[in-house]
């Protein structure tokens, strides 16, 4: 791949996903392109790039899938889960009568560890869990990850933060060091595809009380981060909260949110009045 071809490919990937890859990531990019060329039978980069731009046989989806990172595990950054049940949900339901819908969005959700963790945490730690109609949605740009999330089968590493009692309560063994989420719990989480920089795709998901958007904005440049932040703002109900990864700060991305500091976590809130800052 020539320098010009590499630049054109990275520009294409950026326009489609918001992800930025520089010359320092050239080997990472080229290795994945080579894999896709082999899989599609393309004999040259120009022929593969033509296939990609034309989305022949759904190649765009396959191409994006190989550039996503899906390393995660249950109860990751559980201080935010403590904040969710200790502070955030109490604020969210203050004006909601019992039986009302409480919506929580995990985006990107990878292979499902985070949204399933939220479901388990609520069942174990929020006394009001049965008083409200809780809707948990997990979304990701990687369609392969979504398929794995719906299957709900996980290995020992993914479950390493869960106690044996929790594993026995919410999972069934399906093979050597493989466990599957109970069907009732799988049915409680809905999985959908979404691209955070595509406004139409995010808006279609409606508004949420709480959004977990952890460790994805670090892959975007400033312009894409701002666009993603604006989209996420519109996906929050007035007064709703967003939780980012530990190395991310919404204050450096967008002025739309208010910083809220709790004992367990720093989160960001759409102002209750809903007005843009």
């Amino acid at each position: 791949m020539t320098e010009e071809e590499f630049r054109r490919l990275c520009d294409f990937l950026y326009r489609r996903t918001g992800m930025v890859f520089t010359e320092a990531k050239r080997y990472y990019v080229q290795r994945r392109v080579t894999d896709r060329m082999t899989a599609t039978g393309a004999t040259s980069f120009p022929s593969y790039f033509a296939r990609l731009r034309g989305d022949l046989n759904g190649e765009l989806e396959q191409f994006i899938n190989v550039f996503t990172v899906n390393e995660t595990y249950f109860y990751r950054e559980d201080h935010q889960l403590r904040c969710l049940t200790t502070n955030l949900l109490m604020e969210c339901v203050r004006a909601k009568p019992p039986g009302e819908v409480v919506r929580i969005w995990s985006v990107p959700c990878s292979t499902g560890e985070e949204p399933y963790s939220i479901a388990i945490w609520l069942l174990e730690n929020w006394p009001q869990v049965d008083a409200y109609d809780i809707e948990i949605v997990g979304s990701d740009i990687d369609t392969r990850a979504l398929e794995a999330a719906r299957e709900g089968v996980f290995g020992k590493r993914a479950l390493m933060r869960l106690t044996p009692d929790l594993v026995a309560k919410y999972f069934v063994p399906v093979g050597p060091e493989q466990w599957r989420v109970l069907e009732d719990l799988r049915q409680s989480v809905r999985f959908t595809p979404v691209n955070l920089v595509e406004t139409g795709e995010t808006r279609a998901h409606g508004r949420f009380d709480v959004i977990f958007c952890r460790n994805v904005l670090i892959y975007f440049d400033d312009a894409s981060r701002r666009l993603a932040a604006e989209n996420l703002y519109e996906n929050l109900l007035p007064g709703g909260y967003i939780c980012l990864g530990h190395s991310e700060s919404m204050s450096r991305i967008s002025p739309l949110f208010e910083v809220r500091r709790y004992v367990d976590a720093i989160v960001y809130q759409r102002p209750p009045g809903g007005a843009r800052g």
Side-chain angles (χ1 to χ4, degrees):
M1 189 188 308
T2 66
E3 289 186 11
E4 175 63 18
E5 289 171 340
F6 176 76
R7 183 191 63 77
R8 289 171 60 203
L9 181 73
C10 290
D11 285 347
F12 178 84
L13 185 60
Y14 171 74
R15 291 195 303 272
R16 293 298 181 128
T17 69
M19 292 187 289
V20 177
F21 293 97
T22 63
E23 184 65 30
K25 290 284 189 178
R26 186 184 181 110
Y27 175 74
Y28 174 91
V29 172
Q30 189 155 341
R31 186 175 59 181
R32 282 153 179 77
V33 172
T34 299
D35 289 345
R36 290 310 306 159
M37 287 176 62
T38 300
T40 58
T43 57
S44 67
F45 176 79
S47 66
Y48 174 72
F49 197 44
R51 171 189 292 265
L52 179 63
R53 287 183 300 174
D55 196 21
L56 187 63
N57 295 328
E59 180 56 24
L60 177 59
E61 179 180 301
Q62 300 301 319
F63 178 74
I64 291 174
N65 284 350
V66 300
F67 281 92
T68 56
V69 179
N70 295 308
E71 177 67 20
T72 187
Y73 48 84
F74 281 78
Y75 277 18
R76 185 178 185 179
E77 298 188 37
D78 57 357
H79 61 283
Q80 290 184 343
L81 297 176
R82 287 194 297 273
C83 186
L84 175 69
T85 48
T86 302
N87 304 107
L88 307 187
L89 288 179
M90 302 311 295
E91 293 292 331
C92 291
V93 303
R94 191 180 299 277
K96 292 179 185 280
E100 282 287 297
V101 175
V102 174
R103 304 190 75 219
I104 301 173
W105 198 15
S106 169
V107 55
C109 68
S110 185
T111 46
E113 288 88 340
E114 182 172 273
Y116 287 133
S117 289
I118 294 169
I120 293 171
W121 185 272
L122 293 183
L123 290 169
E124 292 291 315
N125 297 282
W126 196 38
Q128 294 177 266
V129 66
D130 292 324
Y132 293 91
D133 180 8
I134 299 171
E135 180 182 352
I136 301 173
V137 180
S139 302
D140 205 284
I141 197 172
D142 187 339
T143 55
R144 296 176 308 173
L146 291 173
E147 290 174 6
R150 294 185 186 103
E151 285 296 310
V153 176
F154 300 95
K156 185 176 181 179
R157 174 172 169 76
L159 304 179
M160 63 184 178
R161 297 285 304 275
L162 300 182
T163 65
D165 287 345
L166 286 178
V167 174
K169 187 174 182 179
Y170 294 106
F171 298 80
V172 292
V174 292
E177 297 193 340
Q178 293 282 309
W179 293 264
R180 191 177 195 188
V181 178
L182 290 177
E183 183 175 358
D184 286 350
L185 193 61
R186 292 202 313 275
Q187 296 300 319
S188 72
V189 180
R190 180 166 61 92
F191 292 99
T192 64
V194 76
N195 184 339
L196 282 176
V197 297
E198 289 290 343
T199 301
E201 292 186 18
T202 57
R203 297 285 170 85
H205 284 76
R207 288 183 168 179
F208 294 84
D209 294 279
V210 181
I211 297 175
F212 287 82
C213 182
R214 305 193 291 197
N215 305 312
V216 66
L217 299 180
I218 55 177
Y219 295 102
F220 294 175
D221 69 352
D222 289 344
S224 295
R225 287 191 194 102
R226 286 193 297 271
L227 176 56
E230 291 173 2
N231 288 340
L232 291 167
Y233 177 91
E234 294 298 338
N235 278 108
L236 278 174
L237 291 164
Y241 300 90
I242 183 167
C243 302
L244 300 182
H246 71 276
S247 64
E248 299 170 310
S249 171
M250 188 63 80
S251 301
R252 296 196 293 266
I253 300 172
S254 170
L256 295 174
F257 300 85
E258 295 179 351
V259 181
R260 297 294 302 272
R261 292 177 170 84
Y262 294 101
V263 172
D264 292 305
I266 297 174
V267 302
Y268 303 90
Q269 183 180 33
R270 174 172 175 160
R276 287 178 178 259

